[in-house]
Amino acid sequence: MDTRFVGIAELVEAPSVAVVVDVMRAFTVAAWAFGQGAEKIVLAESLDDALALKARHPDWVALKDGPPAPGFDMVNSPGKLRSVDLGGRTVVQKTTAGTVGALAVKEASLVLCAGFVVAEATARLLRTRRSDGVTFVVTGDDGQADEDLACAQYIARRATEAGTDAAVFLRRAAESRAAAELTQSVRQGVHPDDVALCLELDRFPFAMVASLEDSLMILRPRAMPSLTDEDPV
């Protein structure tokens, strides 16, 4: 499998297969939303778009980065989300990097959104698809976020080498600038458990697939069998 790792700004044209990685915290939050029962997630272009969607659909749950704000129900924190019942609900998500990255590749034939919490299922989907080329979009810090790059590299390795050990990749993420900022509460809208939850490997048994539906970029979970070391490569 031919892989490349790029930042959002480096995307010149839509790749065939894109894996958009945002570990801290957009796609960890998305996975937790599905874990808490959400049916789908609408990835919003802007805060105004998110609020407009919420206004048209008052029963939808809108969340954003940073501190609480009028019109939004929640913030982009897995620690804060994990106690919320989202059974059957639609979530509208707007974040600084993750949702931007997914929307930047919306014309790709397959768009996966990922973090460590869905790494195995994402690798499994890439393996079963047997794609020749995969573009990993490193969303954080203008493509320099080591937690996102580490996760992307781990998924790429795991897709072709089932025995790949995650320890070194998780260590890099734990030592990243984003992890430090969340731990030190440099960012707003943070729960004390956010970093640990973002580094919880394979917490969920599904990959997350984004696709255009009636002009909206919709993220949905796709259940995948577990990878085992005996799986054919």
Side-chain angles (χ1 to χ4, degrees):
M1 184 176 71
D2 180 35
T3 58
R4 66 182 186 126
F5 304 89
V6 302
I8 297 171
E10 298 173 85
L11 290 164
V12 177
E13 58 185 11
S16 176
V17 177
V19 180
V20 187
V21 181
D22 189 329
V23 173
M24 296 185 187
R25 296 164 287 175
F27 297 138
T28 300
V29 166
W32 269 98
F34 291 129
Q36 294 301 105
E39 177 186 350
K40 63 183 180 183
I41 297 175
V42 181
L43 304 178
E45 294 268 4
S46 67
L47 293 175
D48 286 343
D49 286 341
L51 290 173
L53 286 166
K54 172 71 176 179
R56 291 200 298 272
H57 306 276
D59 58 324
W60 288 9
V61 178
L63 63 85
K64 61 176 281 292
D65 275 339
F72 287 89
D73 303 285
M74 300 196 63
V75 296
N76 191 51
S77 161
K80 294 177 183 291
L81 189 69
R82 63 182 168 174
S83 60
V84 178
D85 181 4
L86 294 173
R89 304 288 293 277
T90 293
V91 173
V92 180
Q93 185 181 33
K94 171 65 179 86
T95 70
T96 306
T99 58
V100 175
L103 289 162
V105 293
K106 62 184 178 182
E107 302 298 336
S109 61
L110 175 65
V111 179
L112 305 179
C113 296
F116 282 109
V117 291
V118 293
E120 181 175 317
T122 304
R124 178 64 173 174
L125 183 51
L126 291 173
R127 181 181 293 192
T128 56
R129 185 181 172 92
R130 300 185 181 278
S131 302
D132 292 333
V134 178
T135 295
F136 287 86
V137 183
V138 178
T139 61
D141 198 16
D142 295 325
Q144 303 301 311
D146 200 39
E147 74 280 3
D148 293 341
L149 181 58
C151 182
Q153 291 171 337
Y154 172 67
I155 292 171
R157 287 276 297 276
R158 185 76 177 172
T160 56
E161 302 174 30
T164 300
D165 186 0
V168 66
F169 300 96
L170 288 167
R171 189 177 309 115
R172 283 170 53 194
E175 295 171 353
S176 68
R177 185 173 76 173
E181 290 179 351
L182 291 174
T183 300
Q184 298 163 10
S185 296
V186 173
R187 303 184 186 185
Q188 295 181 293
V190 178
H191 186 280
D193 294 338
D194 277 357
V195 172
L197 292 172
C198 289
L199 299 179
E200 191 175 6
L201 185 67
D202 303 329
R203 174 67 176 78
F204 300 103
F206 51 77
M208 298 189 294
V209 182
S211 59
L212 287 170
E213 301 180 22
D214 297 326
S215 79
L216 295 176
M217 194 65 164
I218 307 294
L219 188 63
R220 297 180 185 273
R222 181 178 298 179
M224 297 298 297
S226 295
L227 283 171
T228 68
D229 291 345
E230 290 75 31
D231 282 343
V233 176

